[in-house]
Structures are given as structure tokens and as C-alpha cells.
């Protein structure tokens, strides 16, 4: 399974972006989809995750109240809507998925995800 992350770009501070994540297999059975991000010289960090069977979400404190993760069962895609973007949100954003329904306490762990996208760059700058 290959993941395609898209939607990144250049946005001014205070602006919004919506990232998308799609699997190459349209019938892929998602358990959890997550977004992580990484800036040069820093470790990759958890951003948000959603469990497909019940829609339960989890967010990192850094993006909480400014971001919404969602999934579309018909399109079989996941999204990350980011609002009120700040320069410190600049990073390469990666989507990751697992077919297993892990409890939300595990969603920030990178090791539970079986597949990773190639990343999409988000740059927040005036």
C-alpha cells in the first residue's frame, strides 16, 4: 500500500490549509490514520490521529483547537484541516496508517503505523 499526502504549500500566518491522505488501494481498511510533521534538525512529531471505526480523534497540544482531522468513508481519504497557521507550523507533514484499531493512547506512537506517505511541505511565512 502506498500513501499519497497532498495539500501542502505556502501560506501566510493566520491562514489555513487542508492536507489530504489517500491509499493506493481504494479498498484499504483503515484502522487509524495519523499525521506527523518534521522540521530540519528535529525529530518527527505527532500532530493528530483519527480512528476510523468510531471517529475518535487525538491531537498534539501544539495544534489542538486549530486543527481538525477527519475521514471520508466514501472517498476513503483522511484530511487534516489546519487553521490559524503559525510560522512554527512550517514542516514536512506525513500521513501514516495502520489497519488495526489501536486505542487512542497509542496513536501518537510512530511504531504502530505500517504505512507512511512521502510527505507534503507546509510553509507558513509572510
Amino acid at each position: 500500500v502506498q500513501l499519497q499526502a497532498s495539500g501542502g504549500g505556502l501560506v501566510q500566518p493566520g491562514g489555513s490549509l487542508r492536507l489530504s491522505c489517500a491509499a493506493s488501494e481504494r479498498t484499504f481498511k483503515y484502522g487509524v490514520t495519523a499525521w506527523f510533521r518534521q522540521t530540519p534538525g528535529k525529530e518527527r512529531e505527532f500532530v493528530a490521529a483519527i480512528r476510523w471505526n468510531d471517529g475518535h480523534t487525538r491531537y498534539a497540544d501544539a495544534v489542538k483547537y486549530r486543527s481538525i482531522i477527519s475521514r471520508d468513508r466514501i472517498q476513503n481519504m483522511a484530511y487534516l484541516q489546519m487553521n490559524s497557521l503559525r510560522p512554527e507550523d512550517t514542516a514536512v507533514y506525513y500521513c501514516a496508517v495502520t489497519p488495526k484499531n489501536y486505542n487512542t493512547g497509542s496513536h501518537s506512537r510512530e511504531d504502530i503505523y505500517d504505512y507512511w506517505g512521502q510527505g507534503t511541505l507546509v510553509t507558513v511565512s509572510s
Side-chain angles (χ1 to χ4, degrees):
V1 175
Q2 293 184 333
L3 298 181
Q4 179 70 41
S6 60
L10 174 63
V11 62
Q12 292 187 341
S16 299
L17 279 177
R18 189 177 79 157
L19 306 183
S20 302
C21 180
S24 55
E25 294 180 11
R26 291 279 296 175
T27 58
F28 183 80
K29 298 298 183 183
Y30 295 94
V32 180
T33 295
W35 289 93
F36 290 78
R37 66 185 183 186
Q38 188 171 26
T39 55
K42 292 187 177 181
E43 291 188 354
R44 190 158 54 188
E45 63 176 3
F46 170 76
V47 177
I50 185 166
R51 190 165 57 201
W52 281 66
N53 63 349
D54 58 9
H56 196 95
T57 58
R58 180 174 178 178
Y59 296 92
D61 289 343
V63 303
K64 206 171 185 179
Y65 310 122
R66 298 189 294 121
S67 299
I68 300 173
I69 187 170
S70 60
R71 85 283 195 232
D72 185 324
R73 292 179 178 275
I74 296 175
Q75 296 295 326
N76 220 29
M77 293 181 64
Y79 304 96
L80 180 66
Q81 176 70 40
M82 297 190 296
N83 304 314
S84 302
L85 284 162
R86 306 166 181 169
E88 53 263 40
D89 294 316
T90 296
V92 176
Y93 284 72
Y94 299 90
C95 65
V97 302
T98 172
K100 299 177 183 177
N101 293 317
Y102 285 95
N103 62 62
T104 54
S106 303
H107 291 178
S108 62
R109 289 170 38 195
E110 293 190 26
D111 64 319
I112 71 167
Y113 298 99
D114 301 290
Y115 306 100
W116 290 79
Q118 84 289 356
T120 184
L121 176 62
V122 172
T123 303
V124 184
S125 175
S126 55

